């Protein structure tokens, strides 16, 4: 599967079948957070940019969703700290992802936790944990 297909949300990377475009209430126990691409058999989904059908990343099954949450838990406090130093949210987040792209040797435009697989999320946790621990000690 090429990157364009992977990030379109329209094909499940786990089974190769087409996904369906549905309200996220179908996976969040009746609470809607917008539309998603869903592969029911794999229980994998991805949200879309509000008001569009453009996927926010790749479909994620339960294991990948857990790793994405861990990656965000380690990475987000680091870029958010820059906001305390006067950066806007956009500037801080962009600087964080630029650092991550260098550390992971990825093109900047492909560096986003929403696009990552399990191994890449694990790498985010590994890279960010020492900085997060220092941040929490201060």
């Amino acid at each position: 599967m090429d990157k364009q297909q992977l990030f379109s949300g329209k094909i499940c990377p786990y089974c190769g079948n087409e996904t369906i475009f549905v309200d996220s209430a179908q996976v969040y126990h009746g609470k809607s957070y917008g539309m998603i691409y869903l592969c029911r058999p794999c229980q994998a989904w991805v949200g879309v940019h509000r008001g569009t059908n453009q996927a926010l990343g790749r479909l994620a099954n339960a294991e990948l969703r857990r790793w994405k949450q861990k990656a965000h838990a380690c990475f987000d406090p680091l870029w958010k700290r820059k906001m305390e130093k006067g950066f806007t949210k956009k500037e801080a987040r962009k600087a964080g992802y630029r650092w991550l792209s260098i550390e992971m040797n990825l093109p900047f435009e492909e560096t986003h936790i929403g696009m990552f697989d399990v191994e890449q999320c694990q790498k985010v946790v590994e890279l960010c944990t020492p900085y997060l621990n220092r941040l929490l000690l201060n």
Side-chain angles (χ1 to χ4, degrees):
M1 175 176 301
D2 68 20
K3 288 179 184 178
Q4 186 176 354
Q5 283 182 311
L6 181 65
F7 299 132
S8 74
K10 296 176 183 173
I11 303 290
C12 178
Y14 303 104
C15 69
N17 290 326
E18 286 187 25
T19 59
I20 56 174
F21 192 60
V22 298
D23 191 288
S24 61
Q26 292 195 24
V27 297
Y28 291 116
H29 310 291
K31 183 161 172 74
S32 177
Y33 296 96
M35 300 299 285
I36 61 171
Y37 287 104
L38 169 66
C39 177
R40 264 199 184 74
C42 296
Q43 282 299 289
W45 62 82
V46 63
V48 299
H49 290 277
R50 189 173 306 282
T52 74
N53 65 351
Q54 183 184 357
L56 288 165
R58 57 177 291 153
L59 264 78
N61 63 9
E63 179 188 18
L64 182 52
R65 287 192 299 274
R66 279 191 301 275
W67 277 105
K68 285 177 184 286
Q69 289 171 347
K70 290 177 186 181
H72 275 296
C74 291
F75 176 68
D76 292 357
L78 302 180
W79 67 258
K80 287 178 179 179
R81 180 67 184 261
K82 286 190 163 296
M83 290 169 49
E84 295 172 15
K85 297 180 179 188
F87 286 75
T88 65
K89 179 179 179 179
K90 185 177 180 179
E91 293 167 337
R93 203 163 166 266
K94 186 175 183 177
Y97 274 113
R98 186 155 315 283
W99 171 79
L100 205 55
S101 77
I102 292 166
E103 292 295 314
M104 294 180 71
N105 196 30
L106 292 171
F108 178 72
E109 59 276 0
E110 294 178 19
T111 306
H112 192 283
I113 293 170
M115 297 177 172
F116 290 171
D117 59 24
V118 169
E119 293 76 24
Q120 290 170 313
C121 288
Q122 290 170 335
K123 185 68 174 174
V124 171
V125 171
E126 177 188 319
L127 288 167
C128 295
T129 296
Y131 295 101
L132 181 61
N133 288 340
R134 273 189 244 144
L135 183 67
L136 295 175
L137 288 174
N138 292 331

